[in-house]
Amino acid sequence: MTLLVLVFSFMAICTASALASHGGESTLKRTSIVYHHSLVPPYLSDWWQEGIPHWEVGGDAVVTDAFVRLTPQQGSRSGWAWNTLPNDMKNWELKVTFAVHGKRAPGADGLAIWYVQDVFRKPGGVLFGYRNDFKGVGVILDTYDNDGLRDNPAVNVLANFNEQKSRWQLERDLRDDAMLRCQFDYRQTTPEDPAEITITYNENMLSVRLRIRRRSIDVPCGEVYLELPLGYYFGITASTGGVVDNHDILSIETEKERRTTQCHWNTSIASLTNATEVSGVPKFANLIVSDDDDDTAPRY
């Protein structure tokens, strides 16, 4: 009986922590900003002569003191910003403050935040400024409604390892490709009224949250279960086609994350091969409590 009470109490503590991370602010402990993986203004006044430390900006991107404009609202443009140092953190959080806006509606194409093995510095990348056969994870902010279902702009999490996939269903707005998808209208945000996307990776869980602070909009998109290697690169790309938008990056703040008690949701490994949405709070029966790293996570 005593053992049962102790086990239940420990699970209750762990569950409460997990519930807090689903319904409110993350319970992860934050350290200070990791500057060699962060992109923080002012850009011109501090860094222009030597370039932005640890970042390479190219394509049609233009740097101002307050933001990096990856694309102007002109047709068939693409731009990028790549961190030049490989990731050295097991657990991390990226908060990207951005704005997508244009004079006409609708706008396109969108932007993508990457954690990938190789950077891509060529114009004309067909996957929002990157190549189709990426190796790693991309969080895609897809603006244009290709399939006419009126559920764009939307955020999609794509995973691809060992270059196993090179064809993505852009005509269906990545609906069948995404491991995680949610609708979030970030268009017509501006540098004065920006949006935020926070991507947290901790103990094999990748979670996405979106905000527009001045409009009091806060959307927890969800989370998926992955095991990501060290040594990949952070980056962000954007593109336009026949329909256009400005794609502005105000900042990328990267922090190292750690959790004092490891709590894992027992998400099915099958969800990594079939497009699925993981949201809400799982049942208690699916909670796994461990003191060691979970060696059942898919390894890529």
Side-chain angles (χ1 to χ4, degrees):
M1 176 65 71
T2 302
L3 180 60
L4 271 175
V5 171
L6 286 173
V7 170
F8 181 80
S9 298
F10 182 66
M11 287 184 68
I13 294 170
C14 196
T15 303
S17 175
L19 284 170
S21 69
H22 277 76
E25 294 295 328
S26 171
T27 59
L28 302 177
K29 291 190 174 181
R30 290 177 174 78
T31 58
S32 59
I33 291 176
V34 181
Y35 282 98
H36 62 275
H37 291 312
S38 297
L39 185 66
V40 181
Y43 299 115
L44 296 182
S45 57
D46 281 1
W47 309 115
W48 183 244
Q49 290 184 349
E50 298 82 16
I52 302 173
H54 314 305
W55 287 84
E56 182 178 350
V57 178
D60 294 304
V62 176
V63 179
T64 73
D65 204 36
F67 57 83
V68 177
R69 175 157 290 172
L70 295 178
T71 73
Q73 51 180 335
Q74 298 175 16
S76 301
R77 300 300 178 99
S78 63
W80 62 81
W82 286 106
N83 194 192
T84 58
L85 296 178
N87 173 43
D88 52 2
M89 302 175 292
K90 178 183 177 182
N91 302 313
W92 44 265
E93 180 175 277
L94 253 65
K95 183 174 76 173
V96 180
T97 304
F98 68 97
V100 177
H101 53 104
K103 294 180 179 179
R104 299 180 180 178
D109 292 327
L111 56 89
I113 303 161
W114 303 98
Y115 181 64
V116 288
Q117 185 180 53
D118 301 304
V119 303
F120 184 73
R121 304 184 185 91
K122 297 180 180 180
V126 297
L127 194 60
F128 298 85
Y130 198 82
R131 64 175 189 257
N132 278 343
D133 59 343
F134 70 91
K135 183 176 181 180
V137 173
V139 180
I140 313 296
L141 286 78
D142 184 4
T143 306
Y144 190 74
D145 186 10
N146 285 290
D147 59 10
L149 295 181
R150 299 183 179 181
D151 56 356
N152 287 70
V155 178
N156 302 274
V157 176
L158 306 182
N160 195 33
F161 296 92
N162 300 319
E163 294 85 25
Q164 62 189 13
K165 190 166 185 176
S166 60
R167 174 73 172 90
W168 304 92
Q169 297 187 45
L170 295 172
E171 68 278 2
R172 288 181 51 81
D173 296 327
L174 302 171
R175 182 181 314 282
D176 300 326
D177 300 314
M179 297 176 60
L180 174 68
R181 176 182 171 86
C182 65
Q183 188 174 359
F184 180 72
D185 190 1
Y186 52 78
R187 191 166 185 271
Q188 299 303 21
T189 51
T190 65
E192 297 74 32
D193 179 25
E196 295 176 1
I197 180 169
T198 302
I199 305 167
T200 304
Y201 182 69
N202 189 274
E203 303 301 337
N204 305 325
M205 296 299 295
L206 184 80
S207 63
V208 178
R209 191 178 199 101
L210 303 122
R211 287 188 176 126
I212 303 178
R213 291 185 181 271
R214 290 192 178 185
R215 306 179 197 179
S216 299
I217 299 172
D218 190 341
V219 177
C221 190
E223 59 184 12
V224 289
Y225 191 38
L226 277 174
E227 184 170 308
L228 301 178
L230 293 171
Y232 280 24
Y233 291 88
F234 298 115
I236 187 162
T237 63
S239 66
T240 64
V243 185
V244 300
D245 264 332
N246 295 307
H247 295 94
D248 301 335
I249 306 302
L250 280 71
S251 66
I252 302 174
E253 296 181 3
T254 305
E255 298 184 2
K256 188 175 182 179
E257 300 288 344
R258 62 187 177 88
R259 192 191 296 272
T260 54
T261 301
Q262 297 180 25
C263 306
H264 304 294
W265 299 116
N266 189 14
T267 304
S268 171
I269 294 176
S271 67
L272 299 180
T273 55
N274 298 302
T276 183
E277 181 168 333
V278 182
S279 61
V281 180
K283 297 178 181 179
F284 289 171
N286 289 331
L287 183 64
I288 301 173
V289 182
S290 66
D291 293 324
D292 302 317
D293 287 343
D294 187 348
D295 59 6
T296 64
R299 296 183 181 274
Y300 301 106

